């Protein structure tokens, strides 16, 4: 991939993200009656957590590879603990930002503690 392709990819992703956030706010007043329908409202409420889970799956897929079972088994503990912590935070507060931050923090703490206690050469 050359520099020009990466540039256009980044610009396209930026414009797409901006439009995904801007357009619903711009159209909300004119389409307010449509947005207040119970079925559509239920779908819109789940978009935030669905995006977080999609990002989580994409992020973790690089860590747990099918062709490297040793690495995959080593990551099960930290990933499982982070997912459990995220589930507990979700049950208590139901705040997407808090779930994400505390999940990432707990995963980082587990990895850091593993690096402290691992012996070199093993």
């Amino acid at each position: 991939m050359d520099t020009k392709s990466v540039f256009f990819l980044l610009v396209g992703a930026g414009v797409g993200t901006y439009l995904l956030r801007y357009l619903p706010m711009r159209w909300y007043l004119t389409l307010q009656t449509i947005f207040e329908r119970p079925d559509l409202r239920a779908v819109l409420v789940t978009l935030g957590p669905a995006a977080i889970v999609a990002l989580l799956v994409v992020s973790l897929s690089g860590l747990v590879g099918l062709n490297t079972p040793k690495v995959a088994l080593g990551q099960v503990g930290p990933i499982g603990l982070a997912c459990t912590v995220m589930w507990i935070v979700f049950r208590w507060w139901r705040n997407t930002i808090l779930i994400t931050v505390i999940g990432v923090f707990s995963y980082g703490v587990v990895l850091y503690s593993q690096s402290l206690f691992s012996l070199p050469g093993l």
Side-chain angles (χ1 to χ4, degrees):
M1 211 177 213
D2 61 341
T3 308
K4 191 176 181 181
S5 299
V6 172
F7 175 75
F8 284 119
L9 179 68
L10 291 175
V11 169
V15 169
T17 302
Y18 175 77
L19 289 176
L20 282 172
R21 296 171 195 273
Y22 173 74
L23 292 177
M25 290 188 295
R26 177 81 171 140
W27 294 335
Y28 180 74
L29 292 177
T30 56
L31 301 173
Q32 189 171 5
T33 57
I34 295 172
F35 284 134
E36 290 179 354
R37 291 181 184 165
D39 295 338
L40 182 61
R41 190 160 192 79
V43 169
L44 291 176
V45 167
T46 60
L47 282 179
I52 297 300
V53 170
L55 289 172
L56 178 69
V57 168
V58 168
S59 299
L60 296 180
S61 67
L63 294 176
V64 179
L66 296 176
N67 56 352
T68 55
K70 239 182 192 181
V71 174
L73 287 176
Q75 293 295 323
V76 168
I79 291 171
L81 182 68
C83 289
T84 304
V85 168
M86 291 169 66
W87 180 77
I88 291 170
V89 172
F90 170 76
R91 299 298 286 169
W92 280 345
W93 291 296
R94 295 193 187 264
N95 184 337
T96 306
I97 296 170
L98 213 59
I99 293 168
T100 307
V101 170
I102 292 176
V104 168
F105 183 74
S106 65
Y107 181 72
V109 166
V110 170
L111 287 183
Y112 181 70
S113 65
Q114 280 182 341
S115 71
L116 288 178
F117 297 115
S118 67
L119 298 173
L122 290 180

